Amino acid sequence: MAVRFLVGMCTLAAGVVSAAADSHLPSNEELRHVRSLAEPQLSPDGRQVLIQINDATADGGRTHLWLVDIRQDTARQLTWSAAGDKKGEHEGRWMPDGGSVLFLAKRGEHTQLYRLPMAGGESRVYDLTVVPPVDASAEPGALPPKKAGDAPVRSEPLPIDVEDSDIAPNGRTIAILA
C-alpha cells in the first residue's frame, strides 16, 4: 500500500506531465488538484520513511507529515492542522533514537517546534522564548531617564517563530533558527 501510494503519487504527477506532452499543457485548474511529496526522511532503523505531503492548492495547499512503513507496505497521515492554518506541518525530522519526530507548525500566533512520540500520543510543543538581552531603560539618554534607586526593569520573555531546527547526533540538543 505504502509503496503503491508513493508510486501512485509519482504516477499521477507523471500523468500530468505526459498529458501535457501528448495533448495540452495542464491548466491551472488541473494543477491545483495535484499533491506533491517532499523531504523524505529514512528512520534511524531503516524501516520507515517520514515524508511531507503538500496538499493540492484546491484543498488549501497545506502540508502534512505521513509515515510510510516499508515492511508492512502501509502509509498513514501523522499530522493534521486546523482549518485556519494555511501552512500545516513541515520540516519533519527523526530523533536519533527513532522514538519521536520533530516538526514545525503554526498553531496559534507563532511557528513552534513540536515533538511527536512514535509510540502514540499527542504532539507536544517546545515553549521557546527569548529574553531581550538589553534593558533599554538603563541606557544613557533613555526616555524617561532612569533615576537612582529605581528598581531594575525586568525584561519579559518573548515568543519566537522557529524557522528550522537540527538535532545533534546524540539527540541531547537541538539547534534552532528563529
Side-chain angles (χ1 to χ4, degrees):
M1 164 88 179
V3 174
R4 287 189 298 272
F5 172 76
L6 291 173
V7 170
M9 294 295 287
C10 293
T11 303
L12 175 64
V16 170
V17 171
S18 68
D22 293 341
S23 59
H24 70 282
L25 289 175
S27 69
N28 284 343
E29 183 61 28
E30 290 169 333
L31 290 175
R32 286 179 26 153
H33 296 281
V34 176
R35 286 179 156 186
S36 65
L37 307 173
E39 300 187 20
Q41 300 277 322
L42 186 63
S43 66
D45 65 5
R47 295 179 181 179
Q48 302 174 92
V49 178
L50 179 69
I51 57 173
Q52 180 177 301
I53 301 286
N54 302 315
D55 283 345
T57 56
D59 298 327
R62 292 186 300 256
T63 61
H64 305 286
L65 299 179
W66 284 65
L67 185 66
V68 177
D69 188 310
I70 296 169
R71 287 186 174 186
Q72 295 181 4
D73 197 23
T74 59
R76 65 183 171 102
Q77 187 172 347
L78 288 179
T79 62
W80 286 263
S81 50
D85 180 8
K86 298 202 184 282
K87 189 162 185 177
E89 302 81 21
H90 51 98
E91 306 296 328
R93 304 282 183 267
W94 287 99
M95 290 297 286
D97 65 359
S100 56
V101 170
L102 298 183
F103 64 92
L104 300 180
K106 185 174 182 178
R107 296 179 178 164
E109 293 183 29
H110 301 281
T111 301
Q112 296 176 303
L113 182 65
Y114 290 81
R115 185 177 189 149
L116 178 65
M118 293 287 88
E122 294 293 321
S123 61
R124 296 186 186 194
V125 66
Y126 285 96
D127 187 21
L128 302 172
T129 58
V130 63
V131 177
V134 176
D135 178 6
S137 67
E139 294 291 315
L143 294 176
K146 192 169 190 174
K147 298 175 187 165
D150 283 351
V153 176
R154 291 187 48 183
S155 296
E156 293 295 321
L158 300 173
I160 59 174
D161 283 302
V162 179
E163 291 185 29
D164 201 358
S165 66
D166 198 11
I167 306 162
N170 64 7
R172 293 183 180 196
T173 59
I174 303 168
I176 304 292
L177 177 63

